[in-house]
Amino acid sequence: MLILQTSTSLSDTLRHRRQQLAKLIDFPAILWSGSNNPRNFLANTFPFRANSHFLYFAGLPLPKAAIRLEAGKLELFIDDPSPSSVLWHGETPTREEIAEKIGADVAGPMAELESWLEDAATLAVQDAATWTQQSQLLNRWVLPQSPPQGIDLELAKAIISLRLTHDDGALTELRKAAAVTVKAHKAGMAATPQAKLEAEVRAAMEGVIIAHNMTTSYNSIVTVRSEVLHNEQYHHSLQPGDLLLADVGAETQTGWAGDVTRTWPVSGKFSSTQRDIYNVVLAAHDACIAKIQPGVEYEDIHLLAATAIAEGLVELGIFQGNPQDLVEMDAHALFFPHGIGHLLGLDVHDMEDLGDLAGYEEGRERSDRFGLSYLRLNRPLRPGMLVTIEPGFYQVPAILNDVNVRSKYQSVVNWQRLSEFADVRGIRIEDDVLVTTEGSEVLTAALPNDADTVENLVNG
Ligand code: GLY
Ligand code: MN
Ligand code: MN
């Protein structure tokens, strides 16, 4: 268990959150933190990450713990460290000390939880040991990646309505995550001229995050093979004509995430074709951010990005036709197959453990259109929401070489012209944008994204 430096207002933040929850549900909720799973023997574990719903109300990443929330009260269930654990892990806080730090009203060992299960709702934790325990204790299936039912569904909706917009405690942490994420990207750019492998740039970026006693909020993507959208390999060598795409985010000790992508030339100079496409993606990125304000539909932001990309590609002669018509026929998805972004908070793709319950406004369902099916957020924006804006352009062989796709879009793509852009495998530009009452604030704005400044950062 970690001894954490926490702000004095942690317990106030947590009290406010559970009081808000109490206004939305009239039954108890029990949230488990999850287990630290062994790799081979019990003491050699995979890194522990507490469940985000637990973290939201408990504030600390406590393994093998549970909290019970009822009518604004917080009860903590956790076992005290065993006497032998002092030998291996040193002195760790007692249950009473933890309870005081988070403002718990009552604290007891895990075994006591069994007397408090009646009529309680819960949400599934990802690790098998925990969701099995949840299912056994509550005597019903509590499964990750399956929609919650009954009171669990009511609890999910209540928590979503709280977590959709961020309070001051959350924003303090999210700003810290954003600041370290920005530093990591600058370090990655600066390390590129000396690096021979993707892995060396990754090390420079993650080194900054680790040095701030943070972790990564998802598996880093640092690749010259950027046509693979979530490429998690780092063995490729860096060649002077390559673009390097880095999608790397920091996560604070209490679990709040950053999520940023930049794409830069390994040589420190974009080729003219790379710069042309980069500027198309950047124009889409900037247009989306300029549009963000309360009440705007996130789907419209996505369609704005799609239209901006279509426009840019028409100007470059890659597409032929009217940009609006191209978007209506989903032609943008040939090169921009993903959604414009997602919610960000305690998780990257915040609350997607609940499927589309958080991302989609009640009554809306995901479209199966080629150009909309990866849209992860479909709600009107509200002050306090944090979203990513991450348009991209990729030449994905599995899309562009698909015979059916090629024949459908044969007449709108100038394939000959496209072949002149072979040195652009993929470009994505991603920032974290807070919706404010006036419009928006880019939490990651300290990281430049215009082509000239990116070149300068790589060149030191
Ligand atoms: N880092 C994953 C994403 O941007 O969605
Ligand atoms: Mn993202
Ligand atoms: Mn990302």
Side-chain angles (χ1 to χ4, degrees):
M1 196 186 304
L2 292 171
I3 300 175
L4 290 164
Q5 299 294 321
T6 55
S7 81
T8 49
S9 63
L10 175 67
S11 57
D12 292 341
T13 298
L14 300 177
R15 183 179 313 106
H16 180 71
R17 288 178 187 163
R18 57 183 187 269
Q19 285 169 348
Q20 295 301 107
L21 181 71
K23 291 182 192 163
L24 300 172
I25 56 170
D26 59 4
F27 47 82
I30 300 179
L31 298 171
W32 273 258
S33 66
S35 311
N36 36 9
N37 291 318
R39 284 172 52 152
N40 58 338
F41 65 101
L42 277 180
N44 184 22
T45 57
F46 287 104
F48 173 67
R49 172 53 161 77
N51 172 270
S52 294
H53 303 297
F54 173 92
L55 274 177
Y56 187 75
F57 292 102
L60 297 179
L62 310 165
K64 294 184 181 161
I67 51 173
R68 185 172 180 280
L69 304 162
E70 185 172 25
K73 268 181 65 180
L74 170 63
E75 293 165 62
L76 170 70
F77 299 91
I78 189 167
D79 292 336
D80 262 331
S82 67
S84 70
S85 94
V86 176
L87 171 64
W88 300 102
H89 305 296
E91 292 288 346
T92 47
T94 62
R95 177 167 52 240
E96 291 309 321
E97 286 165 341
I98 296 166
E100 192 184 332
K101 193 165 269 191
I102 66 174
D105 300 284
V106 181
M110 271 304 261
E112 276 182 15
L113 181 60
E114 292 195 26
S115 338
W116 293 99
L117 299 168
E118 208 173 324
D119 299 328
T122 195
L123 296 176
V125 173
Q126 299 294 320
D127 73 90
T130 306
W131 64 254
T132 307
Q133 188 190 36
Q134 291 178 282
S135 302
Q136 281 167 351
L137 286 173
L138 292 168
N139 199 25
R140 62 174 182 271
W141 285 113
V142 179
L143 298 170
Q145 271 77 53
S146 291
Q149 310 284 335
I151 54 170
D152 296 343
L153 178 60
E154 282 184 59
L155 173 64
K157 288 182 179 173
I159 291 181
I160 287 167
S161 80
L162 299 181
R163 287 183 55 192
L164 267 181
T165 57
H166 295 301
D167 56 30
D168 288 347
L171 285 173
T172 301
E173 289 292 299
L174 288 162
R175 286 179 196 284
K176 283 188 215 164
V180 172
T181 301
V182 166
K183 276 194 185 180
H185 278 260
K186 286 184 175 168
M189 292 178 196
T192 300
Q194 292 79 43
K196 295 199 166 39
L197 292 178
E198 297 163 335
E200 293 169 59
V201 179
R202 175 194 180 200
M205 300 183 78
E206 293 193 6
V208 170
I209 293 172
I210 293 165
H212 284 81
N213 202 17
M214 293 191 186
T215 182
T216 50
S217 43
Y218 49 90
N219 294 337
S220 300
I221 299 161
V222 183
T223 186
V224 291
R225 300 296 304 270
S226 45
E227 76 279 14
V228 181
L229 268 60
H230 281 178
N231 199 333
E232 291 178 8
Q233 298 183 46
Y234 314 100
H235 62 277
H236 300 111
S237 64
L238 307 183
Q239 303 300 330
D242 285 337
L243 287 176
L244 183 73
L245 183 152
D247 184 347
V248 176
E251 176 178 302
T252 68
Q253 286 183 57
T254 50
W256 298 88
D259 180 14
V260 166
T261 309
R262 288 291 183 273
T263 310
W264 60 84
V266 164
S267 66
K269 181 125 188 69
F270 288 101
S271 72
S272 65
T273 41
Q274 290 169 343
R275 185 176 272 259
D276 282 345
I277 302 279
Y278 187 91
N279 284 334
V280 169
V281 176
L282 185 61
H285 166 278
D286 291 352
C288 289
I289 292 177
K291 183 88 180 161
I292 289 185
Q293 63 172 48
V296 169
E297 289 288 345
Y298 194 74
E299 183 184 35
D300 289 341
I301 303 276
H302 173 78
L303 292 170
L304 179 63
T307 309
I309 287 169
E311 260 166 24
L313 298 185
V314 168
E315 272 166 36
L316 291 177
I318 292 173
F319 271 148
Q320 38 216 19
N322 169 289
Q324 297 287 353
D325 297 343
L326 290 164
V327 171
E328 265 162 42
M329 68 188 293
D330 290 326
H332 62 278
L334 287 169
F335 304 106
F336 168 43
H338 57 83
I340 187 62
H342 49 82
L343 292 165
L344 185 63
L346 274 165
D347 279 305
V348 71
H349 296 202
D350 208 24
M351 298 184 278
E352 283 190 23
D353 58 315
L354 301 170
D356 279 341
L357 264 185
Y360 275 60
E361 190 85 350
E362 199 146 359
R364 298 185 188 177
E365 278 189 13
R366 230 181 241 241
S367 162
D368 57 9
R369 267 178 62 179
F370 178 39
L372 277 176
S373 59
Y374 286 110
L375 184 63
R376 296 171 180 280
L377 175 60
N378 189 342
R379 286 181 180 270
L381 296 174
R382 283 165 42 197
M385 276 184 175
L386 182 63
V387 298
T388 65
I389 291 297
E390 49 181 303
F393 171 98
Y394 317 86
Q395 301 205 53
V396 182
I399 296 176
L400 298 178
N401 296 338
D402 180 297
V403 226
N404 295 328
V405 171
R406 234 179 141 97
S407 90
K408 177 166 180 201
Y409 296 105
Q410 191 57 35
S411 63
V412 297
V413 177
N414 181 336
W415 301 94
Q416 182 59 38
R417 176 72 176 137
L418 179 65
S419 68
E420 293 168 27
F421 292 84
D423 65 348
V424 184
R425 290 172 177 272
I427 292 173
R428 176 162 68 253
I429 306 171
E430 175 176 28
D431 279 293
D432 302 344
V433 187
L434 178 68
V435 184
T436 63
T437 45
E438 295 81 30
S440 73
E441 178 191 346
V442 182
L443 298 192
T444 47
L447 185 64
N449 54 25
D450 68 278
D452 288 344
T453 317
V454 166
E455 285 181 349
N456 290 340
L457 284 168
V458 176
N459 292 317

